[in-house]
């Protein structure tokens, strides 16, 4: 059974009565589907026919992807790659964690990378290694060089009274992926990274982490949007990349999801 509802939901699987199961949500429609197999592969086929087929991944995404918190220089990454090669570990990707950027978050390389990133990304691609960048969470600190522009474009969630809401690991203001301006605004800041050759994004903190209960999005209250936030942010990154290159096979790594997220080039970790 697939219960298509994004609100907080309770499932009672025999607790109240041994003769029936029940489920209820705190809002939205009572919309559900039954898939009769009997084989699981048939159920999976029908479920993805309804919610979306997984997009075709790039071959490099099926190999070993290395990461840690966090890499500081390209020389450090060089050492990791050489070690992997020496030990015959077939490395195909690396993920660079949250603090790669100049500011949290302005999507510009920190000066410690010495301006070498475009050439390094190109060189590693020739070795069959692609790089994911963490977006450091769907939040922008007020001190970021792009914050005021985002504020003017209306891309932040609010408290329902016009004030932005602050949350997440590093106390940034929460982006609103239901805003009609979010993709155009965000693309204007991340497109240069695709030009440089990044392989995809690591979308972190997409619960979204620490979201205040009073949060309001343009698409509705937190009660409605919270559970689909990760899907909406993944969809936005997928859309931006496929508009940039219609032949692209986007790869997005994130840690939460909702039904249908599989069609946006997403893999999830726990």
């Amino acid at each position: 059974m697939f219960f298509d509802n994004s609100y907080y939901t309770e499932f009672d699987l025999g607790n109240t009565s041994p003769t029936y199961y029940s489920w209820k949500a705190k809002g939205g429609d009572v919309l559900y589907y039954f898939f009769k197999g009997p084989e699981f592969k048939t159920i999976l086929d029908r479920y993805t026919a309804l919610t979306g087929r997984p997009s075709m991944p790039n071959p490099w995404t099926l190999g070993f992807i290395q990461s840690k918190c966090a890499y500081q220089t390209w020389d450090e990454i060089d050492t990791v790659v050489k070690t992997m090669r020496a030990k015959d570990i077939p490395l195909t990707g690396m993920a660079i964690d949250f603090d790669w950027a100049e500011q949290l978050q302005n999507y510009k390389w920190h000066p410690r990378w010495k301006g070498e990133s475009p050439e390094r990304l190109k060189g590693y691609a020739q070795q069959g290694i692609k790089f994911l960048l963490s977006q450091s969470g769907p939040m922008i600190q007020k001190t970021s060089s792009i914050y005021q522009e985002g504020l003017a474009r209306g891309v932040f969630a609010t408290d329902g009274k016009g004030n932005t809401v602050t949350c997440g690991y590093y106390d940034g203001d929460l982006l609103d992926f239901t805003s009609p301006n979010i993709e155009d605004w965000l693309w204007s800041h991340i497109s240069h990274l695709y030009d440089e050759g990044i392989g995809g994004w690591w979308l972190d903190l997409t619960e979204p982490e620490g979201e205040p209960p009073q949060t309001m999005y343009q698409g509705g209250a937190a009660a409605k949007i919270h559970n689909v936030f990760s899907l909406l942010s993944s969809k936005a990154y997928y859309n931006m990349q496929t508009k940039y290159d219609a032949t692209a096979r986007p790869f997005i790594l994130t840690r939460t999801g909702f039904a249908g997220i599989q069609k946006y080039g997403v893999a999830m970790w726990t």
Side-chain angles (χ1 to χ4, degrees):
M1 187 190 76
F2 165 43
F3 183 41
D4 189 8
N5 186 297
S6 66
Y7 287 80
Y8 183 92
T9 303
E10 293 181 1
F11 291 86
D12 185 338
L13 305 181
N15 181 60
T16 302
S17 169
T19 61
Y20 64 83
Y21 293 163
S22 64
W23 63 95
K24 60 183 178 181
K26 292 189 174 181
D29 298 323
V30 181
L31 181 62
Y32 57 93
Y33 304 84
F34 285 102
F35 304 101
K36 180 182 179 182
E39 296 84 6
F40 183 75
K41 65 179 181 180
T42 304
I43 296 172
L44 189 61
D45 180 68
R46 291 173 179 172
Y47 169 77
T48 56
L50 176 70
T51 62
R53 305 292 193 193
S55 54
M56 181 69 74
N58 260 304
W60 72 267
T61 68
L62 305 178
F64 183 79
I65 299 175
Q66 168 69 24
S67 183
K68 75 167 188 174
C69 184
Y71 296 111
Q72 299 299 313
T73 65
W74 283 110
D75 289 342
E76 183 182 7
I77 289 175
D78 287 344
T79 300
V80 173
V81 173
K82 290 176 182 177
T83 302
M84 293 288 195
R85 294 290 191 246
K87 295 180 179 293
D88 293 326
I89 298 174
L91 181 70
T92 61
M94 292 189 69
I96 300 179
D97 208 344
F98 77 103
D99 66 345
W100 63 273
E102 178 185 40
Q103 299 168 343
L104 291 171
Q105 172 59 273
N106 67 351
Y107 307 101
K108 296 178 180 178
W109 292 96
H110 193 279
R112 73 174 190 264
W113 301 100
K114 300 178 181 179
E116 299 174 355
S117 297
E119 193 61 32
R120 295 281 194 154
L121 291 170
K122 180 180 178 181
Y124 275 122
Q126 292 172 346
Q127 298 179 48
I129 301 173
K130 299 291 283 185
F131 282 80
L132 302 173
L133 290 181
S134 170
Q135 99 298 17
S136 308
M139 303 96 182
I140 306 289
Q141 285 185 336
K142 288 182 173 65
T143 53
S144 168
S145 59
I146 64 174
Y147 178 84
Q148 291 299 327
E149 179 191 340
L151 195 63
R153 293 293 302 276
V155 299
F156 292 105
T158 72
D159 61 359
K161 300 178 182 179
N163 305 303
T164 56
V165 293
T166 302
C167 61
Y169 177 77
Y170 55 85
D171 295 327
D173 281 8
L174 182 62
L175 291 172
D176 180 358
F177 281 90
T178 71
S179 168
N181 295 328
I182 189 70
E183 288 186 19
D184 286 344
W185 176 81
L186 192 53
W187 182 246
S188 70
H189 294 290
I190 70 172
S191 59
H192 72 100
L193 297 165
Y194 284 105
D195 291 335
E196 292 172 8
I198 68 166
W201 285 95
W202 168 1
L203 304 185
D204 207 357
L205 314 186
T206 53
E207 287 69 47
E209 182 177 276
E211 173 198 63
Q214 72 273 22
T215 300
M216 289 292 298
Y217 301 94
Q218 294 187 42
K224 176 183 179 182
I225 303 300
H226 180 85
N227 283 338
V228 292
F229 187 97
S230 187
L231 181 148
L232 295 172
S233 60
S234 297
K235 179 181 179 181
Y237 278 83
Y238 179 90
N239 286 345
M240 287 185 286
Q241 188 170 349
T242 52
K243 287 177 183 177
Y244 171 76
D245 179 3
T247 66
R249 296 181 185 178
F251 182 61
I252 296 166
L253 185 66
T254 191
R255 71 184 190 185
T256 54
F258 195 80
I261 198 170
Q262 68 275 1
K263 61 188 174 185
Y264 298 122
V266 172
M268 285 181 286
W269 85 95
T270 58

